[in-house]
Amino acid sequence: QVQLVESEGGLVQAGGSLRLSCAASGNIFSSDILGWYRQAPGKQRELVATITSRDRTNYADSVKGRFTISRDNAKNTIYLQMNSLKPEDTAVYYCNLYRTYYLSYWGQGTQVTVSS
């Protein structure tokens, strides 16, 4: 039903910026919630940010003020602008579409590495 195609991550210096994108194809509903998750080595996957079709957003405390999630409903694409990156942000970042309690879609994940 839905496919999520993420941009590639990359390697950046601490304090630098990256912008991730995720294009969703298929039938996207206005009730769908799009978001970004990340998983660092040895840690559980954690929510980074979510956004609704009405641009309501939520952020993890660890990224609040540094990351910005946005959504282009016409393109069915979400973005994650990451500024002031820290080594602790190093993780595999995953795009997610939440439809129901029983149905979510995931992107393939992309590596973001922040060097000191």
Side-chain angles (χ1 to χ4, degrees):
Q1 288 182 316
V2 174
Q3 293 185 22
L4 304 175
V5 181
E6 301 171 325
S7 69
E8 297 182 0
L11 173 65
V12 298
Q13 299 277 15
S17 298
L18 279 177
R19 183 173 180 260
L20 306 181
S21 65
C22 172
S25 61
N27 295 119
I28 311 303
F29 303 147
S30 61
S31 57
D32 290 339
I33 301 175
L34 278 296
W36 292 94
Y37 290 71
R38 68 185 182 186
Q39 187 167 23
K43 300 182 66 176
Q44 291 185 318
R45 188 174 300 184
E46 64 175 348
L47 185 149
V48 177
T50 61
I51 186 168
T52 72
S53 63
R54 298 187 65 183
D55 291 333
R56 285 180 60 103
T57 59
N58 288 284
Y59 296 92
D61 288 340
S62 59
V63 307
K64 196 172 300 181
R66 300 187 297 119
F67 291 9
T68 302
I69 188 171
S70 59
R71 179 171 183 167
D72 186 336
N73 290 329
K75 297 181 178 180
N76 291 326
T77 300
I78 63 168
Y79 307 89
L80 186 67
Q81 179 66 48
M82 303 183 291
N83 298 326
S84 302
L85 283 162
K86 305 175 180 179
E88 305 91 270
D89 297 318
T90 296
V92 177
Y93 284 71
Y94 298 89
C95 182
N96 169 264
L97 182 151
Y98 176 89
R99 179 158 294 170
T100 73
Y101 179 81
Y102 299 101
L103 182 60
S104 293
Y105 299 91
W106 294 90
Q108 78 283 359
T110 186
Q111 178 71 46
V112 172
T113 302
V114 184
S115 62
S116 178

